[in-house]
Amino acid sequence: MTTQTSAIIAAADAVRAAHLDALRPLAEIAGRTVTAPPTVEASLAAALHLIAAKPALDHAVTDLLRELVTAGISSTKLARLMSIRHSTLTARLDAPAPESPTTAELHLGMFKRKDKVSIRAARESMIAAARSLGRTYASALRRISTVSQGSVPEAAVVDEAVEAVLHLHRSRQQLDAALDPVLAALVLGGVRRMSLAEALGVHPNTLQRRLAGQPLAHARHADLVDEGEGKWSVARAEVGRYKPTDPELDEALVEAAVAEAIAGIQETGGSARA
């Protein structure tokens, strides 16, 4: 095996290892059960760990891109395959290593008071959200993992590494979307949206748009439906001033009244004016 091939395999393994380290706290959340669900605080810490690791993850992928350029893949070709500007890729390749990530410390200001039902739903829902996120990352990293194991024939390592990087790059939207159910469960459990937006480095309105399709992020305790085994759904409940004051009509009584009215018309003979 040539030095060049070994360098590519080592860089691919560094990408895999960096992602595993970033995902480890959430993997522990995914391994919990409904009988012993994670706390909201532990779930927030796990999510913040992954968010804070993003610069390090990007840097690990950039190191692999550098090895591919050294192996003879032009930066122009890589930029075209990644559908980005060549200047953007060049700036990325020239960028220094990021500083060691510092995960934000948890404090009371990050939370607001929530009812027991919402907290329970958040804790139990987090397990499935973390498992789904893990599966999404595993799919995105599948080809990188294959290269990192050194199981690809040496003549195909460069081409396979290029395809692996492209596969991971094209999975960015899915990876971002996989985090949204985790964020929604945190919001349900009482984590303030502003705190999550600050951690993500986005405007609160951007976070709001990401959570728009997550029912748990907008649910009140009255809306939550326990479907068992840690699964919760949302059914908007009419409470407070939106709750109807009149009792609901019995459908059977309505049908009987309609039938009686029709029978009465038939007996007396209906008439219509032209």
Side-chain angles (χ1 to χ4, degrees):
M1 184 177 294
T2 65
T3 302
Q4 183 181 88
T5 300
S6 298
I8 292 175
I9 292 174
D13 189 56
V15 172
R16 183 189 66 86
H19 281 81
L20 288 179
D21 181 69
L23 291 166
R24 187 168 290 108
L26 277 169
E28 294 175 358
I29 298 294
R32 302 296 290 268
T33 63
V34 176
T35 56
T39 64
V40 175
E41 291 79 7
S43 298
L44 176 58
L48 293 179
H49 182 80
L50 175 60
I51 293 170
K54 190 177 185 304
L57 300 181
D58 291 342
H59 179 69
V61 175
T62 300
D63 279 344
L64 178 54
L65 291 172
R66 291 192 184 100
E67 294 298 338
L68 291 174
V69 171
T70 301
I73 306 298
S74 70
S75 57
T76 302
K77 180 179 180 179
L78 280 176
R80 176 173 54 81
L81 292 173
M82 296 172 70
S83 299
I84 61 176
R85 293 179 181 275
H86 182 251
S87 58
T88 301
L89 177 59
T90 301
R92 179 174 178 176
L93 294 174
D94 293 339
E99 297 180 0
S100 300
T102 55
T103 305
E105 294 184 3
L106 273 59
H107 55 84
L108 291 178
M110 303 176 78
F111 302 87
K112 59 183 178 180
R113 296 187 63 179
K114 296 286 283 190
D115 58 278
K116 292 182 179 180
V117 175
S118 295
I119 293 175
R120 178 191 164 201
R123 295 177 64 190
E124 295 180 0
S125 298
M126 183 60 68
I127 299 172
R131 287 175 181 170
S132 178
L133 181 143
R135 289 191 293 268
T136 302
Y137 268 87
S139 176
L141 291 166
R142 177 174 49 82
R143 301 190 73 162
I144 287 284
S145 297
T146 300
V147 175
S148 71
Q149 293 167 7
S151 56
V152 178
E154 185 169 2
V157 167
V158 174
D159 289 340
E160 184 60 29
V162 170
E163 291 300 323
V165 168
L166 293 178
H167 180 70
L168 180 58
H169 179 72
R170 291 164 183 162
S171 300
R172 289 176 303 163
Q173 289 187 343
Q174 292 92 325
L175 296 179
D176 287 342
L179 183 61
D180 291 346
V182 172
L183 301 177
L186 290 173
V187 170
L188 177 62
V191 179
R192 296 184 183 277
R193 285 179 171 82
M194 182 64 72
S195 297
L196 292 177
E198 290 177 355
L200 289 166
V202 300
H203 192 277
N205 289 341
T206 302
L207 176 62
Q208 192 72 0
R209 287 194 294 271
R210 286 181 60 169
L211 296 179
Q214 300 294 327
L216 289 180
H218 313 286
R220 305 160 298 176
H221 69 280
D223 305 329
L224 296 168
V225 179
D226 183 3
E227 299 184 1
E229 298 183 355
K231 185 177 181 180
W232 292 78
S233 59
V234 178
R236 200 66 177 175
E238 295 178 318
V239 296
R241 62 194 180 103
Y242 299 105
K243 185 176 181 180
T245 55
D246 297 329
E248 295 184 3
L249 295 176
D250 189 316
E251 293 184 3
L253 292 178
V254 174
E255 292 178 0
V258 173
E260 183 178 353
I262 294 174
I265 293 175
Q266 292 175 342
E267 291 176 2
T268 59
S271 62
R273 295 179 180 181

